[in-house]
Amino acid sequence: MGLGSTAKKIQGLSDRAEAMYRQVQELQQRIINLEDEVDDTHDTVKKLDHNITEQRALLLAIADEHGIDGEQILAEAAIDEAEADEDGDETDDVDADSDAEAATTSE
């Protein structure tokens, strides 16, 4: 093997190493950008959560002024939502059973 072919192989390895290094740098920058976006999103969620807490307190105070039990209304809404979720889950199970039945009969 001559020096020319060895130099070509070394140059090829060097080129590939440089390309990989550029890819690693690009990936590193993308990760840094993603971390920044996650931090921004976290801050936004904290602000929104704080705003919702303030609004809930205001609504409960207004309801109390008008002689309405706001906590009772929220409890009933939570129960209704839970029941709706349960009904939705049951429908999914029925659909899955129907799909399984159809697959069995078509075989």
Side-chain angles (χ1 to χ4, degrees):
M1 179 176 344
L3 289 177
S5 65
T6 302
K8 279 184 180 180
K9 288 181 181 179
I10 291 173
Q11 184 61 44
L13 285 173
S14 175
D15 292 345
R16 282 187 267 170
E18 286 178 19
M20 288 179 69
Y21 181 73
R22 280 192 302 274
Q23 287 178 337
V24 168
Q25 284 181 317
E26 290 171 8
L27 185 57
Q28 183 180 20
Q29 188 58 48
R30 288 176 64 189
I31 290 171
I32 290 169
N33 291 340
L34 185 58
E35 287 173 340
D36 291 342
E37 287 181 32
V38 167
D39 289 342
D40 290 345
T41 301
H42 179 261
D43 293 342
T44 301
V45 168
K46 282 177 67 174
K47 288 176 188 174
L48 290 172
D49 188 44
H50 179 73
N51 287 343
I52 289 171
T53 302
E54 286 179 341
Q55 290 176 5
R56 179 181 177 144
L58 286 171
L59 288 171
L60 289 173
I62 292 169
D64 191 42
E65 268 183 28
H66 292 282
I68 299 170
D69 186 359
E71 293 295 340
Q72 179 64 31
I73 293 171
L74 291 172
E76 289 172 5
I79 291 169
D80 291 346
E81 185 177 337
E83 288 173 350
D85 287 346
E86 286 177 6
D87 291 344
D89 291 343
E90 289 173 9
T91 336
D92 292 344
D93 292 343
V94 170
D95 291 342
D97 292 342
S98 299
D99 292 343
E101 246 179 71
T104 306
T105 56
S106 65
E107 293 174 355

